[in-house]
Amino acid sequence: MANELTILKAEARAESGSAASGRLRRTGYIPAAVTRINGGSTLLKINAREFGALLRAHGEQQQLLSLDVQGTPLPAMLREIQYHPLTGLPINADFGEVDLTRKVRIRIPLYISGDPVGVKIGGGILQQLLHTIEVDCLPTDIVESFTVDVSSLELDASLFVKDLQLGDKYTIVTGKGLVVARVAAPEEDGNGAAGDGTPEVITKGKKDDAK
């Protein structure tokens, strides 16, 4: 859990526009802005090297952190990053202020684990059809991912969103009827379930003919 927020130092800036942004980048800073809860916006500058280290350590999307704006902590989420088309380096960052006592809606990666019965015994094919889950939770309860055990899935069985047990801290927003994963029969082509993309074949099983 994100109980201890990652701290990123930032400084307020007065100048805006492409010329001012170019000057900032030449001095080792990245122009940034944070949208405030009250609807306003604060212009900031952040150290390019420190920001790059943060991205390498914690990832890019929907990250909760504390902006240290010249000694004043500001809880915020990283919303968007713009990259230079040639160098691939960050050239701009946008943040959104959050209230740590109010829930936010966020999409979190979903992974599956385990060797399903339907694969080991039934020779089925394990497919994952849903790779992210949208939930409402407090900012401090945001996790990098959820992992779901599919060991009990039998041949032709499916795990639905409604079957997920993520805990009381999370309210699932994604449709409860969507299929997270299933064990398809070997002759199926994997096009029969609903999800958020093309089914990913995780593993295939083989019947034990020696039995």
Side-chain angles (χ1 to χ4, degrees):
M1 302 294 180
N3 292 318
E4 294 185 6
L5 304 188
T6 301
I7 298 174
L8 178 64
K9 291 184 178 180
E11 299 178 37
R13 62 184 173 98
E15 292 185 313
S16 61
S18 57
S21 296
R23 288 194 294 270
L24 274 181
R25 296 185 187 104
R26 286 192 290 273
T27 60
Y29 284 87
I30 296 173
V34 55
T35 302
R36 308 303 293 267
I37 294 176
N38 62 12
S41 182
T42 301
L43 298 179
L44 302 171
K45 63 178 181 179
I46 53 180
N47 183 279
R49 182 174 297 178
E50 293 179 2
F51 187 57
L54 181 145
L55 294 181
R56 289 190 294 273
H58 300 284
E60 302 179 4
Q61 300 300 321
Q62 303 181 124
Q63 182 181 158
L64 177 68
L65 45 79
S66 177
L67 293 173
D68 181 357
V69 185
Q70 296 166 226
T72 301
L74 179 65
M77 290 188 67
L78 177 58
R79 299 294 189 186
E80 184 178 2
I81 307 170
Q82 295 178 15
Y83 294 90
H84 191 282
L86 297 179
T87 66
L89 296 175
I91 57 174
N92 194 81
D94 289 320
F95 301 87
E97 182 185 9
V98 297
D99 182 344
L100 297 180
T101 66
R102 297 178 59 184
K103 289 188 175 184
V104 296
R105 183 161 295 182
I106 187 169
R107 191 173 291 275
I108 296 177
L110 190 63
Y111 299 102
I112 58 177
S113 67
D115 195 1
V117 174
V119 173
K120 292 189 296 183
I121 299 177
I125 302 169
L126 175 61
Q127 299 170 333
Q128 182 175 358
L129 293 100
L130 197 69
H131 296 271
T132 62
I133 188 81
E134 192 172 20
V135 300
D136 289 340
C137 66
L138 290 175
T140 49
D141 290 327
I142 294 173
V143 292
E144 292 185 0
S145 64
F146 292 113
T147 300
V148 181
D149 184 13
V150 295
S151 301
S152 62
L153 277 184
E154 298 181 355
L155 187 65
D156 289 327
S158 297
L159 175 72
F160 294 88
V161 170
K162 64 182 179 182
D163 301 321
L164 297 178
Q165 302 295 322
L166 303 182
D168 296 337
K169 295 179 180 180
Y170 306 96
T171 301
I172 298 176
V173 180
T174 300
K176 299 185 185 303
L178 292 180
V179 176
V180 175
R182 71 168 186 161
V183 177
E187 64 271 15
E188 292 187 32
D189 60 8
N191 294 321
D196 62 351
T198 302
E200 175 187 356
V201 176
I202 306 300
T203 184
K204 296 182 180 180
K206 183 183 296 183
K207 291 185 179 180
D208 189 351
D209 295 327
K211 292 185 179 181

